[in-house]
Amino acid sequence: MSIDHRLSPEHEELRRTVEEFAHDAVAPKIGEFYENHEFPYEIVREMGRMGLFGLPFPEEYGGMGGDYLALGLALEELARVDSSVAITLEAGVSLGAMPVFRFGTEEQKQEWLPRMCSGEILGAFGLTEPECGSDAGGTRTTARLDEATGEWVINGTKCFITNSGTDITGLVTVTAVTGRKADGGPEISSIIVPSGTPGFTVAAPYSKVGWNASDTRELSFSDCRVPAANLLGEEGRGYAQFLRILDEGRIAISALATGLAQGCVDESVAYARTRQAFGRPIGANQAIQFKLADMEMRAHTARLAWRDAASRLVSGEPFKKEAALAKLYSSEIAVTNAREATQIHGGYGFMNEYPVARMWRDSKILEIGEGTSEVQRMLIARELGLSD
């Protein structure tokens, strides 16, 4: 199959708009937020006014009527400057709003999507638990339906949940065991829990290596009650639902990782042109030139990979393998490019005043979040017809 990865005029206009916003509005301010571990509310509000949180959703729900390729373009341009801002958008769309759009009732869509698309509120996805990270099927959080009150009663703990504790977080979609299958295995469902619901506790922000201007928290539920109507999708189908959400999300993370990798190139080329050593710019040295050539090659290839997966998703074709390939490759080359960028910058690359130091700290989580590199290799092997 031949896929044309050249952007349409509309997609190119969006890319340029976000590129300008990232350099003019994000780059000058984000370093201070990052070092102070503060959530950049004004930047996020501006992203909402631009319609970025509504990019892949229909206009009838307050969206921009775009597609997943549009979302990926925005994420890549933001991540070229900062990953905290990019992951806030990625999680808000792919993990917060997309489950409601894909599986929600019309009433749920009308209630939640317009406010999420505008950036008025953020949504989060409560999947990961302390003792079952990659093994999401081992979910221990439970939800039982109280027939007398018509409410779900939720108990359990979630960890590493992005966008879950900001002042504008509106809901968290939680996966929970709601019953048992005939073979004794867990029957997992997804349930919407609005912020502020009694019994729903949000912990203090984590102290993280990177993504320090994004919000990541542990959540706990103690006899937390929500209406039965807050069930998202079919009861017992939560596991299948989140697999679909993660397949799509891997494309978004790949676009983000590509942006970080390209940002490392941008910063390193600029530095190599101006940094003098032994009487000439270090960019005149072939060793530096070859490093930069390899960095550009990796970023370019990652871009082709995520755009291929996004094009397949948009056209309704199977994309699971391509999404895993893109996520695996782009996340690993993001780490490599960040390491090389730091090396090119020398001692300055170890100083937080330089963006590459932030990129170095932000890159590693890309090999872990939304499916580790090991999980991606497992998925690719399965798609090749190899059983485990």
Side-chain angles (χ1 to χ4, degrees):
M1 182 182 70
S2 175
I3 297 177
D4 187 351
H5 291 296
R6 290 173 295 183
L7 299 180
S8 68
E10 294 78 14
H11 281 122
E12 176 58 21
E13 182 180 2
L14 168 68
R15 190 202 65 76
R16 289 185 178 180
T17 298
V18 180
E19 178 185 33
E20 181 179 343
F21 169 75
H23 284 86
D24 294 348
V26 179
K29 302 176 181 177
I30 197 61
E32 184 176 353
F33 285 109
Y34 193 93
E35 291 307 312
N36 292 331
H37 295 246
E38 294 179 0
F39 189 78
Y41 285 101
E42 182 51 44
I43 292 175
V44 172
R45 279 191 288 268
E46 181 59 28
M47 288 161 60
R49 288 191 286 266
M50 292 173 64
L52 300 188
F53 287 96
L55 276 174
F57 302 112
E59 294 179 7
E60 64 185 289
Y61 299 120
M64 298 294 287
D67 53 26
Y68 226 86
L69 177 59
L71 174 62
L73 292 171
L75 290 170
E76 181 177 337
E77 292 304 326
L78 289 172
R80 285 177 72 170
V81 168
D82 179 72
S83 291
S84 291
V85 170
I87 195 59
T88 298
L89 176 62
E90 192 279 333
V93 175
S94 297
L95 301 180
M98 194 59 73
V100 176
F101 175 66
R102 292 287 185 211
F103 310 113
T105 63
E106 186 60 28
E107 290 75 16
Q108 289 169 338
K109 293 177 184 179
Q110 293 291 349
E111 178 180 2
W112 296 109
L113 285 179
R115 287 186 288 164
M116 286 194 281
C117 287
S118 69
E120 176 187 345
I121 64 171
L122 295 175
F125 193 58
L127 171 65
T128 306
E129 298 189 2
E131 296 185 15
C132 53
S134 297
D135 180 19
T139 296
R140 296 187 178 184
T141 296
T142 62
R144 64 174 180 84
L145 187 60
D146 186 337
E147 300 286 355
T149 63
E151 296 174 316
W152 291 105
V153 184
I154 307 170
N155 286 279
T157 303
K158 301 291 182 177
C159 62
F160 311 141
I161 310 304
T162 305
N163 291 347
S164 58
T166 74
D167 293 345
I168 57 174
T169 299
L171 75 150
V172 177
T173 299
V174 178
T175 53
V177 177
T178 53
R180 292 288 166 182
K181 300 176 182 178
D183 62 2
E187 188 177 75
I188 298 174
S189 303
S190 299
I191 301 171
I192 296 173
V193 182
S195 297
T197 301
F200 172 23
T201 302
V202 180
Y206 287 105
S207 175
K208 297 175 293 187
V209 171
W211 284 359
N212 287 333
S214 73
D215 180 78
T216 316
R217 316 238 185 172
E218 181 176 277
L219 313 178
S220 62
F221 303 87
S222 179
D223 288 336
C224 176
R225 291 175 173 266
V226 297
N230 283 28
L231 178 71
L232 185 63
E234 298 178 34
E235 184 174 348
R237 293 286 297 168
Y239 190 79
Q241 290 171 11
F242 87 72
L243 287 179
R244 167 63 190 241
I245 292 300
L246 291 183
D247 282 341
E248 295 182 5
R250 288 175 183 128
I251 300 174
I253 290 294
S254 178
L256 189 158
T258 300
L260 187 151
Q262 188 65 59
C264 289
V265 177
D266 299 340
E267 294 294 332
S268 298
V269 168
Y271 185 80
R273 285 173 173 165
T274 58
R275 177 71 165 95
Q276 296 281 325
F278 305 104
R280 63 177 185 170
I282 63 170
N285 298 316
Q286 194 175 70
I288 300 296
Q289 293 174 357
F290 281 11
K291 278 184 183 293
L292 289 167
D294 286 344
M295 290 167 65
E296 177 70 8
M297 174 189 65
R298 288 188 285 264
H300 178 77
T301 305
R303 183 173 300 111
L304 294 177
W306 84 252
R307 287 190 185 181
D308 175 46
S311 297
R312 293 170 185 272
L313 168 59
V314 170
S315 63
E317 300 176 48
F319 65 94
K320 180 185 287 287
K321 181 180 73 173
E322 288 74 18
L325 286 166
K327 200 275 183 182
L328 173 62
Y329 180 77
S330 60
S331 62
E332 294 197 340
I333 67 99
V335 173
T336 300
N337 273 19
R339 185 181 65 249
E340 294 286 53
T342 303
Q343 191 70 18
I344 289 171
H345 279 70
Y348 290 109
F350 204 63
M351 300 297 112
N352 286 325
E353 64 185 282
Y354 282 78
V356 294
R358 192 166 69 239
M359 293 171 178
W360 186 41
R361 292 160 67 179
D362 289 340
S363 64
K364 180 56 188 176
I365 187 60
L366 297 171
E367 295 181 312
I368 299 171
E370 294 203 35
T372 64
S373 293
E374 291 76 15
V375 166
Q376 304 314 311
R377 288 183 167 88
M378 178 183 69
L379 293 173
I380 294 166
R382 286 178 180 174
E383 290 296 310
L384 292 175
L386 303 173
S387 60
D388 53 7

PDB file of all heavy atoms in Angstrom, residues 160-176:
ATOM      1  N   PHE A 160       0.134   6.964  38.880  1.00  0.00           N
ATOM      2  CA  PHE A 160       0.742   7.563  37.692  1.00  0.00           C
ATOM      3  C   PHE A 160      -0.309   8.143  36.734  1.00  0.00           C
ATOM      4  O   PHE A 160      -0.169   8.036  35.513  1.00  0.00           O
ATOM      5  CB  PHE A 160       1.613   6.549  36.930  1.00  0.00           C
ATOM      6  CG  PHE A 160       2.576   5.785  37.787  1.00  0.00           C
ATOM      7  CD1 PHE A 160       2.816   4.437  37.556  1.00  0.00           C
ATOM      8  CD2 PHE A 160       3.253   6.403  38.828  1.00  0.00           C
ATOM      9  CE1 PHE A 160       3.707   3.718  38.334  1.00  0.00           C
ATOM     10  CE2 PHE A 160       4.162   5.693  39.611  1.00  0.00           C
ATOM     11  CZ  PHE A 160       4.382   4.350  39.369  1.00  0.00           C
ATOM     12  N   ILE A 161      -1.352   8.762  37.269  1.00  0.00           N
ATOM     13  CA  ILE A 161      -2.447   9.227  36.424  1.00  0.00           C
ATOM     14  C   ILE A 161      -2.253  10.701  36.054  1.00  0.00           C
ATOM     15  O   ILE A 161      -2.248  11.575  36.916  1.00  0.00           O
ATOM     16  CB  ILE A 161      -3.811   9.023  37.119  1.00  0.00           C
ATOM     17  CG1 ILE A 161      -3.927   7.583  37.646  1.00  0.00           C
ATOM     18  CG2 ILE A 161      -4.936   9.355  36.155  1.00  0.00           C
ATOM     19  CD1 ILE A 161      -3.728   6.502  36.590  1.00  0.00           C
ATOM     20  N   THR A 162      -2.111  10.970  34.762  1.00  0.00           N
ATOM     21  CA  THR A 162      -1.863  12.312  34.247  1.00  0.00           C
ATOM     22  C   THR A 162      -3.147  13.139  34.211  1.00  0.00           C
ATOM     23  O   THR A 162      -4.215  12.626  33.879  1.00  0.00           O
ATOM     24  CB  THR A 162      -1.266  12.232  32.829  1.00  0.00           C
ATOM     25  OG1 THR A 162      -0.096  11.418  32.857  1.00  0.00           O
ATOM     26  CG2 THR A 162      -0.901  13.608  32.298  1.00  0.00           C
ATOM     27  N   ASN A 163      -3.026  14.420  34.545  1.00  0.00           N
ATOM     28  CA  ASN A 163      -4.134  15.385  34.522  1.00  0.00           C
ATOM     29  C   ASN A 163      -5.212  15.087  35.556  1.00  0.00           C
ATOM     30  O   ASN A 163      -6.332  15.589  35.450  1.00  0.00           O
ATOM     31  CB  ASN A 163      -4.803  15.446  33.138  1.00  0.00           C
ATOM     32  CG  ASN A 163      -3.933  16.066  32.075  1.00  0.00           C
ATOM     33  OD1 ASN A 163      -2.916  16.676  32.372  1.00  0.00           O
ATOM     34  ND2 ASN A 163      -4.321  15.908  30.818  1.00  0.00           N
ATOM     35  N   SER A 164      -4.895  14.321  36.578  1.00  0.00           N
ATOM     36  CA  SER A 164      -5.943  13.866  37.500  1.00  0.00           C
ATOM     37  C   SER A 164      -6.182  14.795  38.672  1.00  0.00           C
ATOM     38  O   SER A 164      -7.209  14.676  39.358  1.00  0.00           O
ATOM     39  CB  SER A 164      -5.589  12.473  38.039  1.00  0.00           C
ATOM     40  OG  SER A 164      -4.323  12.483  38.693  1.00  0.00           O
ATOM     41  N   GLY A 165      -5.276  15.746  38.941  1.00  0.00           N
ATOM     42  CA  GLY A 165      -5.430  16.563  40.134  1.00  0.00           C
ATOM     43  C   GLY A 165      -5.274  18.053  39.920  1.00  0.00           C
ATOM     44  O   GLY A 165      -5.018  18.793  40.874  1.00  0.00           O
ATOM     45  N   THR A 166      -5.458  18.522  38.690  1.00  0.00           N
ATOM     46  CA  THR A 166      -5.354  19.956  38.443  1.00  0.00           C
ATOM     47  C   THR A 166      -6.627  20.661  38.910  1.00  0.00           C
ATOM     48  O   THR A 166      -7.650  20.027  39.176  1.00  0.00           O
ATOM     49  CB  THR A 166      -5.156  20.259  36.947  1.00  0.00           C
ATOM     50  OG1 THR A 166      -6.391  20.047  36.249  1.00  0.00           O
ATOM     51  CG2 THR A 166      -4.080  19.384  36.344  1.00  0.00           C
ATOM     52  N   ASP A 167      -6.565  21.981  38.966  1.00  0.00           N
ATOM     53  CA  ASP A 167      -7.744  22.764  39.346  1.00  0.00           C
ATOM     54  C   ASP A 167      -8.843  22.686  38.308  1.00  0.00           C
ATOM     55  O   ASP A 167     -10.002  23.037  38.596  1.00  0.00           O
ATOM     56  CB  ASP A 167      -7.352  24.234  39.543  1.00  0.00           C
ATOM     57  CG  ASP A 167      -6.432  24.438  40.727  1.00  0.00           C
ATOM     58  OD1 ASP A 167      -6.319  23.519  41.565  1.00  0.00           O
ATOM     59  OD2 ASP A 167      -5.808  25.520  40.807  1.00  0.00           O
ATOM     60  N   ILE A 168      -8.511  22.238  37.094  1.00  0.00           N
ATOM     61  CA  ILE A 168      -9.518  22.158  36.038  1.00  0.00           C
ATOM     62  C   ILE A 168      -9.840  20.718  35.644  1.00  0.00           C
ATOM     63  O   ILE A 168     -10.521  20.486  34.645  1.00  0.00           O
ATOM     64  CB  ILE A 168      -9.079  22.960  34.795  1.00  0.00           C
ATOM     65  CG1 ILE A 168      -7.725  22.471  34.268  1.00  0.00           C
ATOM     66  CG2 ILE A 168      -9.034  24.455  35.103  1.00  0.00           C
ATOM     67  CD1 ILE A 168      -7.311  23.132  32.949  1.00  0.00           C
ATOM     68  N   THR A 169      -9.356  19.745  36.410  1.00  0.00           N
ATOM     69  CA  THR A 169      -9.715  18.353  36.140  1.00  0.00           C
ATOM     70  C   THR A 169     -11.198  18.150  36.441  1.00  0.00           C
ATOM     71  O   THR A 169     -11.670  18.472  37.531  1.00  0.00           O
ATOM     72  CB  THR A 169      -8.883  17.380  36.990  1.00  0.00           C
ATOM     73  OG1 THR A 169      -7.496  17.556  36.670  1.00  0.00           O
ATOM     74  CG2 THR A 169      -9.286  15.931  36.722  1.00  0.00           C
ATOM     75  N   GLY A 170     -11.919  17.613  35.457  1.00  0.00           N
ATOM     76  CA  GLY A 170     -13.353  17.442  35.619  1.00  0.00           C
ATOM     77  C   GLY A 170     -13.802  16.024  35.883  1.00  0.00           C
ATOM     78  O   GLY A 170     -14.842  15.803  36.527  1.00  0.00           O
ATOM     79  N   LEU A 171     -13.049  15.043  35.396  1.00  0.00           N
ATOM     80  CA  LEU A 171     -13.446  13.650  35.570  1.00  0.00           C
ATOM     81  C   LEU A 171     -12.256  12.728  35.382  1.00  0.00           C
ATOM     82  O   LEU A 171     -11.259  13.098  34.754  1.00  0.00           O
ATOM     83  CB  LEU A 171     -14.527  13.254  34.555  1.00  0.00           C
ATOM     84  CG  LEU A 171     -14.051  13.032  33.107  1.00  0.00           C
ATOM     85  CD1 LEU A 171     -14.928  12.005  32.420  1.00  0.00           C
ATOM     86  CD2 LEU A 171     -14.031  14.329  32.329  1.00  0.00           C
ATOM     87  N   VAL A 172     -12.387  11.554  35.929  1.00  0.00           N
ATOM     88  CA  VAL A 172     -11.447  10.464  35.694  1.00  0.00           C
ATOM     89  C   VAL A 172     -12.264   9.236  35.309  1.00  0.00           C
ATOM     90  O   VAL A 172     -13.228   8.887  35.993  1.00  0.00           O
ATOM     91  CB  VAL A 172     -10.601  10.142  36.943  1.00  0.00           C
ATOM     92  CG1 VAL A 172      -9.683   8.954  36.663  1.00  0.00           C
ATOM     93  CG2 VAL A 172      -9.779  11.352  37.370  1.00  0.00           C
ATOM     94  N   THR A 173     -11.917   8.615  34.194  1.00  0.00           N
ATOM     95  CA  THR A 173     -12.531   7.347  33.822  1.00  0.00           C
ATOM     96  C   THR A 173     -11.715   6.232  34.464  1.00  0.00           C
ATOM     97  O   THR A 173     -10.509   6.131  34.228  1.00  0.00           O
ATOM     98  CB  THR A 173     -12.567   7.166  32.303  1.00  0.00           C
ATOM     99  OG1 THR A 173     -13.342   8.222  31.730  1.00  0.00           O
ATOM    100  CG2 THR A 173     -13.200   5.835  31.934  1.00  0.00           C
ATOM    101  N   VAL A 174     -12.359   5.416  35.274  1.00  0.00           N
ATOM    102  CA  VAL A 174     -11.679   4.405  36.076  1.00  0.00           C
ATOM    103  C   VAL A 174     -12.038   3.008  35.576  1.00  0.00           C
ATOM    104  O   VAL A 174     -13.215   2.705  35.329  1.00  0.00           O
ATOM    105  CB  VAL A 174     -12.080   4.539  37.560  1.00  0.00           C
ATOM    106  CG1 VAL A 174     -11.406   3.460  38.393  1.00  0.00           C
ATOM    107  CG2 VAL A 174     -11.728   5.925  38.080  1.00  0.00           C
ATOM    108  N   THR A 175     -11.024   2.158  35.409  1.00  0.00           N
ATOM    109  CA  THR A 175     -11.290   0.746  35.127  1.00  0.00           C
ATOM    110  C   THR A 175     -11.398   0.005  36.456  1.00  0.00           C
ATOM    111  O   THR A 175     -10.602   0.230  37.373  1.00  0.00           O
ATOM    112  CB  THR A 175     -10.178   0.133  34.270  1.00  0.00           C
ATOM    113  OG1 THR A 175      -8.913   0.364  34.887  1.00  0.00           O
ATOM    114  CG2 THR A 175     -10.181   0.724  32.881  1.00  0.00           C
ATOM    115  N   ALA A 176     -12.387  -0.875  36.551  1.00  0.00           N
ATOM    116  CA  ALA A 176     -12.619  -1.606  37.804  1.00  0.00           C
ATOM    117  C   ALA A 176     -13.230  -2.967  37.501  1.00  0.00           C
ATOM    118  O   ALA A 176     -13.932  -3.147  36.495  1.00  0.00           O
ATOM    119  CB  ALA A 176     -13.553  -0.815  38.719  1.00  0.00           C
TER     120      ALA A 176
END
